[in-house]
Amino acid sequence: MSDDNASARVIQDLRAEARGAAPGTRLPTVRELTTRHQASAITVSRAIRALAAEGVLDTQPGRGTFVAARVPARGAPDLSWQSIALGPRPPGEDAMQALLAIPRPGAIPLSSGYLDEDLQPATALGAALARAARHPASWQRGPVEGRADLRAWFAREAGGGLRAEDLTICPGGQAALSTAFRALATAGDTVLVESPTYLGALAAARAAGLRVVPVPADDAGVRTDLLAAALRRTGARLFYCQPLFANPTGATLAPARRAEVLAEIRAAGAFLLEDDYARDLAIDADPPPPLVAADPDGHVVYLRSLTKSAAPGLRVAAIGARGAAGARLRAARVLDDFFVAGPLQQAALDFVTSPAWPRHLRALRTALRTRRDALLDAVRRHLPDLDPPPVPRGGLHAWLRLPDGTDDIAVTAAAAARDVVVFPGRPWYAAEPDAPHLRLTFAAAPPALLDEGIHRLAQALTAG
């Protein structure tokens, strides 16, 4: 009999005894239960702890195990008052919850913001975290802005545009975004965003009370002529941008536009919030340096996360800026959670400075290329009447244009009925979408499942 089966048998036995006995009744000892069920003392103790956690048993060290007092049943609570006290729901909540929902077992994920488990360096991360956990200093309080050596690593990765003292460590990119919008703008201010753009940024900006104004983008990134017009018309002093492998479109800001964007931001006396989430996700060639590397005067606020390129549980990112903007970012982080857990910072530094990091990036580039090509090939074969998505040169996503008049949300629901998870394009727009789209992720499933997922998506489109 396995330990799991023996534990389940002990739990069933104790639950039955407790059900028929009065509160305070003494139950059999661990020794009696090991004999009765031919189970180890560890297995029996584990079963008792499980029932104690449920409130079924009351364990009293040195005295024994007893039936716990029963909590009197209560009628259904009346929580209707909360709708008045809370007021309207913040916009964007439903889309974010749908984006982060875990697919049900058996579903093919063509929508995810994270790498497939098979692509995550779990063994190396686990070893790094184990080493960090054994290091006493990692459990102590560190500087609120994060470890100096980890900040120095992020500064080097930023191409020399920032110093370690300009950066603050955050628990993931989403937390860094929320910090930036609160620190760099005041409720009621305008923030410009590419259109479409990351819906988590839209949600964070709106939660900070900002007015979000879209600036159209194409396959070469944000339209600089329209960015200049938007800066003049709105007086905005903050522009959120993903210059590299933008989510959801996969577009990269063209070389000629990089200088133009920086020039327009400087002329407006504004900040550019550069979300460099995909720096480690290049597929076809090494990526260009971050925009912050060409910004000596502190207009670019830089954000870099390790989560997308490693694993969802590595909630470590850095955000930074020169001058007073950097100080405001640090102050805002303190208000949220003081500092990121020391063992996690130590593990992140251990991982990215070890030989495991470049090995992981090399293997990841190969795997992403294989999966991207498999997805695009499947779209061409199963959806020949649609325009193929622009080929993303990195990142995790492809942007599929649907026929005019198609309801992208209805298509998403029809695909879900066939156990394939896709995400509609509509929530990625700050205003009305220019056309119906789907965001397809190629990093969350192996090539064979990508092909089957697109086949099912084609069926859903045909049925619609």
Side-chain angles (χ1 to χ4, degrees):
M1 184 72 68
S2 70
D3 286 348
D4 287 344
N5 288 339
S7 179
R9 192 167 58 178
V10 175
I11 289 174
Q12 183 179 15
D13 183 19
L14 287 173
R15 196 187 299 276
E17 288 206 28
R19 188 181 301 117
T25 301
R26 182 188 294 274
L27 294 172
T29 65
V30 171
R31 180 176 297 177
E32 290 170 336
L33 290 168
T34 59
T35 301
R36 181 188 302 178
H37 295 286
Q38 296 296 298
S40 70
I42 293 175
T43 298
V44 171
S45 297
R46 187 185 303 124
I48 290 174
R49 287 197 302 270
L51 289 174
E54 292 181 20
V56 175
L57 305 183
D58 176 21
T59 58
Q60 300 179 19
R63 296 193 61 225
T65 303
F66 303 86
V67 177
R70 295 180 177 86
V71 178
R74 296 181 1 180
D78 180 9
L79 304 178
S80 58
W81 64 272
Q82 293 187 2
S83 61
I84 297 174
L86 291 170
R89 289 184 65 186
E93 283 188 357
D94 291 341
M96 284 298 294
Q97 290 178 9
L99 183 67
L100 295 174
I102 297 175
R104 64 174 178 267
I108 299 175
L110 297 185
S111 175
S112 175
Y114 305 105
L115 298 175
D116 184 5
E117 289 183 16
D118 293 342
L119 303 183
Q120 298 171 20
T123 300
L125 286 173
L129 187 58
R131 289 190 292 271
R134 293 193 297 267
H135 200 293
S138 68
W139 293 98
Q140 303 307 311
R141 189 185 74 175
V144 294
E145 63 269 24
R147 294 178 59 114
D149 44 9
L150 182 57
R151 289 184 284 119
W153 181 86
F154 277 107
R156 291 192 298 272
E157 290 285 304
L162 296 170
R163 304 160 299 168
E165 53 265 38
D166 297 322
L167 289 155
T168 299
I169 303 300
C170 304
Q174 188 65 30
L177 279 177
S178 296
T179 294
F181 287 129
R182 287 186 291 104
L184 302 175
T186 303
D189 287 353
T190 296
V191 57
L192 304 181
V193 301
E194 297 163 294
S195 183
T197 193
Y198 172 48
L199 67 85
L202 297 177
R206 288 166 175 155
L210 305 184
R211 174 175 173 257
V212 182
V213 173
V215 181
D218 56 26
D219 294 349
V222 67
R223 290 269 306 275
T224 50
D225 56 334
L226 298 179
L227 173 64
L231 286 166
R232 288 193 302 270
R233 182 175 63 82
T234 65
R237 292 296 178 263
L238 180 60
F239 169 47
Y240 169 75
C241 181
Q242 297 177 95
L244 187 65
F245 315 137
N247 180 9
T249 64
T252 292
L253 189 62
R257 291 189 186 180
R258 291 167 59 90
E260 293 174 356
V261 167
L262 289 173
E264 295 296 346
I265 292 295
R266 283 194 296 268
F271 288 106
L272 186 155
L273 176 52
E274 179 180 10
D275 187 349
D276 201 20
Y277 85 99
R279 177 137 303 268
D280 304 315
L281 303 175
I283 295 175
D284 292 332
D286 291 339
L291 293 178
V292 72
D295 170 52
D297 300 322
H299 287 278
V300 177
V301 178
Y302 184 69
L303 191 168
R304 167 89 179 272
S305 172
L306 297 175
T307 305
K308 301 295 187 183
S309 54
L314 190 62
R315 305 296 301 169
V316 173
I319 191 166
R322 291 181 179 274
R328 290 201 181 187
L329 291 169
R330 289 190 291 277
R333 284 301 318 150
V334 171
L335 293 177
D336 284 340
D337 46 25
F338 292 171
F339 49 83
V340 175
L344 195 58
Q345 291 191 59
Q346 173 64 47
L349 179 66
D350 183 318
F351 176 57
V352 298
T353 57
S354 74
W357 175 241
R359 283 200 303 268
H360 166 63
L361 294 184
R362 288 193 297 270
L364 181 58
R365 177 176 290 195
T366 299
L368 289 179
R369 181 183 296 113
T370 299
R371 294 180 182 219
R372 178 202 63 183
D373 294 349
L375 178 77
L376 298 179
D377 180 64
V379 170
R380 284 190 292 267
R381 288 187 295 104
H382 297 300
L383 296 166
D385 295 334
L386 299 188
D387 293 333
V391 178
R393 304 300 178 184
L396 306 173
H397 315 292
W399 191 233
L400 179 66
R401 167 72 182 268
L402 299 176
D404 290 342
T406 303
D407 186 336
D408 54 339
I409 294 178
V411 170
T412 300
R418 290 166 171 79
D419 277 335
V420 58
V421 182
V422 297
F423 207 87
R426 201 174 312 177
W428 306 89
Y429 289 88
E432 296 82 3
D434 57 6
H437 288 84
L438 295 177
R439 190 196 71 165
L440 303 178
T441 301
F442 50 81
L449 281 183
L450 293 174
D451 184 81
E452 175 61 22
I454 296 298
H455 174 64
R456 297 183 191 181
L457 175 60
Q459 292 176 331
L461 279 165
T462 300

